[in-house]
Amino acid sequence: MTHGEIAGTVAGLRSTFEAGTTKSLAWRVDQLKALRRMLVERGSDFEAALLSDLAKNPTEAQLAEIGFVVGEIDHTLKHLRSWLRPRSVRVPGAVMPARASIVREPLGVVLVIAPWNYPVQLLLAPVVGAIAAGNAVVMKPSELAPATSAAIARLVPLYLDQRAVAVVEGAVDETTELLAQRFDHIFFTGNSRVGRIVMAAAVANLTPVTLELGGKSPVYVDDTVDIDAAARRIAWGKFMNAGQTCVAPDYLLATADVARRLEPALIAATRDLYGDDPEASPDYGRIVNEQHLERLTGLLSSGRTVVGGASDTGSLYLAPTVLADVPRDAPIMQDEIFGPVLPIVTVSGPDDAIRHITAGEKPLALYVFSENDKVRRRFLTETSSGAIGFGIPAAHLIVPGLPFGGVGESGTGGYHGDHSMRTFSHEKAVLSKPLKPDTIKLISPPYTTGKDRFIRGLLRKLG
């Protein structure tokens, strides 16, 4: 799209919203059902696109991308009417008789910018919330997943209302032009560097922003757990999508004794998941492009290789890799890895682990493998993260009632289920009081607080 076309698209969506097209419950339900039909009927198109972009096998594509969004739609359709029902609020005696409530209203025209690692899920899951809340939507798929971007641009207009939902493809120039438009909310998923650019652009129009970023999500393991079982779950969470998952365990903290026991367990877990040759496994993905592969291979010298380490530029392959004896100041510990490399850092115990975690930026997720209730409680209360998982990584995403989002450097705002409705709605305060002078009365006992004196003065003026 040209710059003029992008501006015209946004203007057209705003006209549709201002005409009230998107506000009815019937329209919202119809669009959500249409989005569901698209995912089900054209699932093979998305499977092929994800295979092309990330070597993501069809089973993973269905579970982690297509099926995930279908589940989000089903949950939303089940609860949408109740989510939209006005919520009554208690009225203080000084204002009685009166009724107060909170009404959710749509924000307007919203922009959803998606990343490349889960290019279906992380674009369409927020769109579910935006449509459910009654907004017009611009979708910006990632240019780094070109097959998926093309599929979305081709299929969305066939199923959704083109007056209210648009797809804008492109790279930096198109995204820059989109950010120059006036939106009522911007929802961005990606890294913190681009997140800062998005937030800076939003300042011009005072546009609220949701930032779903990432960071170094740690996992702590102690000697109270089944080491083999813990290793299997950690390997699963780390190496799915070739480690290109924002909530994947970024690094592992354990005492020297636990770390030694984890090494063979992680080797066995990796083989259970992907066989002796992960490069030949249909269940193992590929790195998105050569630039990211080169960055990741440059980190492999940060520690002793326990398993993996092999790579192939031609096929964008990097084996699931575990590094041991990794210094805390090693290059791999500086930024989010976002790939299939798991460094093990030794700590003296939970005190040392908590100090290390709190010394850095707040992570998107934190995982603790311990059967010690006191240890669990300490990580829960003494650290801050977008989410915390005990005994399993990444699975909190599939619980519809839990908000998904970060804190601090790992993001701001959250979504999924009712939390998406909150993100894409304005909660309007409504107060209704009969217009009769004799209904304005002061109450006993005498007012004593500043707030009470303010209300008394206001009521006297009204009377």
Side-chain angles (χ1 to χ4, degrees):
M1 279 190 179
T2 66
H3 292 184
E5 289 173 331
I6 289 174
T9 296
V10 177
L13 296 183
R14 188 163 298 282
S15 294
T16 298
F17 176 78
E18 291 174 351
T21 303
T22 67
K23 297 180 181 180
S24 73
L25 176 62
W27 183 89
R28 304 181 200 197
V29 169
D30 179 70
Q31 293 302 295
L32 291 174
K33 289 181 176 179
L35 183 59
R36 191 186 195 282
R37 286 197 306 274
M38 180 186 78
L39 291 166
V40 173
E41 295 173 359
R42 308 308 288 266
S44 59
D45 295 63
F46 290 113
E47 288 177 8
L50 292 164
L51 185 65
S52 173
D53 288 332
L54 293 158
K56 191 169 292 190
N57 71 78
T59 300
E60 184 178 346
Q62 281 292 339
L63 290 174
E65 301 255 20
I66 301 164
F68 185 99
V69 181
V70 169
E72 184 76 7
I73 293 171
D74 290 344
H75 180 75
T76 300
L77 287 171
K78 180 179 179 180
H79 297 282
L80 182 56
R81 187 179 295 273
S82 65
W83 290 344
L84 292 175
R85 192 173 294 129
R87 304 197 306 278
S88 296
V89 177
R90 186 175 179 180
V91 178
V95 188
M96 291 294 288
R99 296 190 307 273
S101 63
I102 299 171
V103 175
R104 284 178 169 171
E105 63 180 15
L107 296 173
V109 183
V110 303
L111 170 63
V112 178
I113 304 174
W116 51 263
N117 58 323
Y118 288 86
V120 173
Q121 180 206 137
L122 295 179
L123 175 66
L124 297 184
V127 168
V128 170
I131 290 174
N135 299 285
V137 187
V138 176
M139 304 185 201
K140 171 59 183 68
S142 174
E143 71 277 11
L144 297 181
T148 305
S149 177
I152 288 169
R154 182 178 75 254
L155 295 174
V156 164
L158 300 180
Y159 285 84
L160 299 186
D161 188 344
Q162 296 183 53
R163 300 170 300 167
V165 182
V167 179
V168 174
E169 289 191 279
V172 173
D173 287 347
E174 289 77 11
T175 303
T176 301
E177 182 60 26
L178 278 171
L179 291 173
Q181 309 304 312
R182 181 173 71 85
F183 288 97
D184 298 287
H185 195 93
I186 298 174
F187 190 105
F188 169 80
T189 304
N191 61 52
S192 59
R193 178 184 62 82
V194 180
R196 286 177 167 82
I197 295 172
V198 171
M199 181 168 276
V203 168
N205 292 308
L206 294 179
T207 303
V209 175
T210 298
L211 299 178
E212 299 296 341
L213 307 176
K216 297 187 74 64
S217 296
V219 54
Y220 174 76
V221 184
D222 70 15
D223 59 3
T224 66
V225 298
D226 182 326
I227 294 296
D228 292 330
R232 283 193 296 272
R233 291 190 180 181
I234 293 167
W236 167 78
K238 177 62 179 179
F239 298 130
M240 63 178 175
N241 200 36
Q244 298 164 122
T245 303
C246 58
V247 291
D250 189 87
Y251 63 95
L252 192 155
L253 299 171
T255 63
D257 177 63
V258 172
R260 282 193 297 270
R261 294 168 58 195
L262 276 167
E263 290 185 24
L266 287 167
I267 293 172
T270 303
R271 287 177 178 161
D272 286 345
L273 287 168
Y274 306 113
D276 292 330
D277 182 12
E279 189 171 9
S281 171
D283 298 322
Y284 188 67
R286 294 297 183 268
I287 307 305
V288 67
N289 56 36
E290 289 187 20
Q291 178 185 354
H292 283 277
L293 178 61
E294 182 179 357
R295 175 185 63 82
L296 290 166
T297 55
L299 300 174
L300 298 180
S301 61
S302 292
R304 170 174 56 84
T305 302
V306 173
V307 65
S311 64
D312 179 71
T313 303
S315 62
L316 298 176
Y317 169 75
L318 177 58
T321 301
V322 176
L323 302 178
D325 305 326
V326 176
R328 300 187 189 192
D329 60 352
I332 200 168
M333 295 299 294
Q334 304 310 306
D335 297 301
E336 183 179 9
I337 298 168
F338 217 69
V341 186
L342 179 65
I344 301 176
V345 176
T346 58
V347 293
S348 60
D351 289 344
D352 192 17
I354 290 171
R355 280 195 300 269
H356 177 79
I357 293 167
T358 56
E361 299 289 352
K362 297 177 181 179
L364 183 57
L366 165 62
Y367 308 114
V368 177
F369 285 79
S370 174
E371 296 300 325
N372 186 314
D373 289 340
K374 183 177 179 181
V375 169
R376 288 185 172 210
R377 192 179 308 112
R378 289 195 61 196
F379 276 94
L380 180 64
T381 60
E382 296 178 28
T383 67
S384 177
S385 56
I388 187 166
F390 295 108
I392 189 167
H396 58 284
L397 271 74
I398 66 174
V399 181
L402 290 178
F404 176 62
V407 57
E409 187 76 9
S410 60
T412 178
Y415 70 117
H416 288 172
D418 184 45
H419 304 282
S420 292
M421 289 291 293
R422 294 177 186 176
T423 291
F424 289 108
S425 300
H426 167 60
E427 297 197 330
K428 180 188 288 184
V430 180
L431 180 66
S432 177
K433 182 173 178 62
L435 191 60
K436 294 180 180 179
D438 59 356
T439 63
I440 300 177
K441 300 177 181 178
L442 302 183
I443 62 173
S444 297
Y447 296 91
T448 57
T449 68
K451 182 177 180 181
D452 288 335
R453 288 193 294 273
F454 168 77
I455 294 174
R456 181 174 61 180
L458 177 62
L459 293 179
R460 282 176 173 167
K461 290 180 181 179
L462 291 173

